[in-house]
Amino acid sequence: SIPTALRCRPKRQSSDPRHLPTCAHTRQSTTTMSAAPAPIDSGIKSSTGAATTTALDPSLPAHVAENRRHWDENADRWVAAGEKAWAAPDPYWGIWSLPESSLQLLPSNMEGMRAIELGCGTGYASGWMLRRGAAHVVGIDNSARQLETATRLATEHGVADRLTLVHGDAEKVTGQADGSFDFALSEYGAAIWCDPHVWIPEAHRLLKPGGRLVFLGNHPLVQLCVAEDGEMADTTLHRPYFGLHKMDWTDAPVDPGGVEFCLPFGQWLKLFRDTGFEVEELLEPPAPPEATGTEFYASAEWAKKWPCEHVWKLRKLP
């Protein structure tokens, strides 16, 4: 498992070695290519190599560049998590590993569908969609280092011919025409690391009329209850609800690095309506009764009383 001394933001490292996703999320707890084994030149080395830092790319928006740096530098921490999730017989989601049977993020039958994962990280959710019959999946991620792991695991699991991995920004997906996909997914990928005012319209562009977007990320309440220094969620409101949008953890004393996004519920709903989505369902799953200890940024006892995560299920209007 990942040492609990490490801090990395769904942000925060979990004691569960699967955790966590992708373009992803962290805090602490107890280029287009087919998925062939060709190496990705990310400009950084593994933890055993000479280079350990990445310069910010001045051509990118500041938050995209910072998140790329953050995830490239921390990619080695998520290899074991990706391996475990790819090998899992059934999908599970979020910081409490809730089963697909309870959340139903994925269509039960994806036969013939084209799908895209926005912030795919090590690609395990893309693999789960392919296992459900998707004809082809595109996974885009901001971290070339994460995609190195995704590339290897897709090959090992025999789905490289149906998975295209793209190193890029989910706020601006290049090389994919309007209306290309039946289904779009983000679990702690674009869902928290990209500006929703940009990535939600981009997801809408990519979907066919009637296509569905499902994403899981940080609940607004937990964002209010995590202190400015990056410590664990508590019972104090540390920032205003109104105006909630961008949380910059670059210089946080605890678990520094990365820029996250979240909106108040009224702003989410306005954004969906203005973009052309209808809401099918909103979930606010609690930690399961048997949960103990701490995962990432919240204790089990906290998460049994208040929601850490939300799941939105949307459909593109005709």
Side-chain angles (χ1 to χ4, degrees):
S1 65
I2 301 168
T4 56
L6 296 176
R7 300 260 184 183
C8 170
R9 221 178 259 94
K11 245 14 206 176
R12 293 187 191 279
Q13 286 299 14
S14 168
S15 56
D16 179 345
R18 175 189 86 98
H19 287 123
L20 213 156
T22 57
C23 164
H25 187 61
T26 42
R27 285 181 186 279
Q28 163 114 286
S29 112
T30 51
T31 318
T32 306
M33 67 214 82
S34 63
I40 300 169
D41 183 4
S42 64
I44 54 179
K45 307 296 182 183
S46 70
S47 58
T48 58
T52 58
T53 60
T54 309
L56 296 184
D57 185 339
S59 69
L60 297 172
H63 68 277
V64 176
E66 164 57 19
N67 288 340
R68 178 169 293 183
R69 178 206 63 78
H70 177 72
W71 281 100
D72 277 345
E73 290 184 9
N74 287 282
D76 288 348
R77 301 180 179 185
W78 306 103
V79 174
E83 292 171 340
K84 181 179 178 182
W86 270 92
D90 297 299
Y92 52 99
W93 305 103
I95 66 172
W96 303 105
S97 299
L98 299 174
E100 168 65 10
S101 59
S102 67
L103 298 186
Q104 299 182 352
L105 268 64
L106 302 178
S108 58
N109 182 0
M110 299 188 68
E111 195 69 33
M113 286 188 179
R114 281 181 49 83
I116 185 166
E117 186 181 1
L118 300 167
C120 67
T122 58
Y124 58 83
S126 292
W128 293 340
M129 290 190 282
L130 290 167
R131 193 186 299 172
R132 291 193 168 215
H136 197 86
V137 175
V138 173
I140 183 168
D141 200 85
N142 198 16
S143 168
R145 291 288 313 285
Q146 289 273 65
L147 291 175
E148 290 175 1
T149 302
T151 297
R152 172 177 63 83
L153 291 171
T155 301
E156 291 177 4
H157 287 267
V159 297
D161 59 332
R162 294 190 289 137
L163 176 60
T164 299
L165 295 172
V166 180
H167 182 217
D169 175 15
E171 294 180 4
K172 187 178 181 181
V173 180
T174 60
Q176 302 296 331
D178 296 0
S180 296
F181 298 96
D182 303 286
F183 185 75
L185 175 71
S186 179
E187 182 208 22
Y188 285 122
I192 75 162
W193 298 102
C194 295
D195 188 335
H197 295 296
V198 185
W199 84 265
I200 291 290
E202 180 67 349
H204 185 272
R205 179 189 74 81
L206 292 166
L207 287 168
K208 299 175 182 177
R212 298 177 65 235
L213 168 64
V214 175
F215 68 93
L216 181 154
N218 293 326
H219 194 284
L221 182 58
V222 78
Q223 298 287 34
L224 304 182
C225 293
V226 173
E228 297 289 343
D229 64 5
E231 270 294 355
M232 307 295 294
D234 56 29
T235 56
T236 300
L237 298 178
H238 294 279
R239 57 180 56 79
Y241 179 70
F242 299 115
L244 184 66
H245 177 224
K246 179 180 177 181
M247 282 70 63
D248 189 340
W249 303 102
T250 306
D251 297 319
V254 180
D255 188 17
V259 179
E260 299 175 11
F261 296 86
C262 191
L263 298 175
F265 278 129
Q267 292 300 306
W268 279 118
L269 290 169
K270 183 179 187 301
L271 175 59
F272 300 151
R273 182 190 64 220
D274 292 350
T275 302
F277 281 114
E278 65 175 355
V279 177
E280 293 186 323
E281 189 173 18
L282 166 64
L283 303 177
E284 300 173 286
E290 66 275 12
T292 59
T294 296
E295 294 294 345
F296 297 96
Y297 49 79
S299 70
E301 293 310 307
W302 193 99
K304 290 174 185 178
K305 298 176 182 177
W306 302 288
C308 287
E309 301 170 310
H310 59 189
V311 175
W312 290 95
K313 300 180 184 181
L314 312 177
R315 186 177 298 275
K316 180 176 178 176
L317 293 169

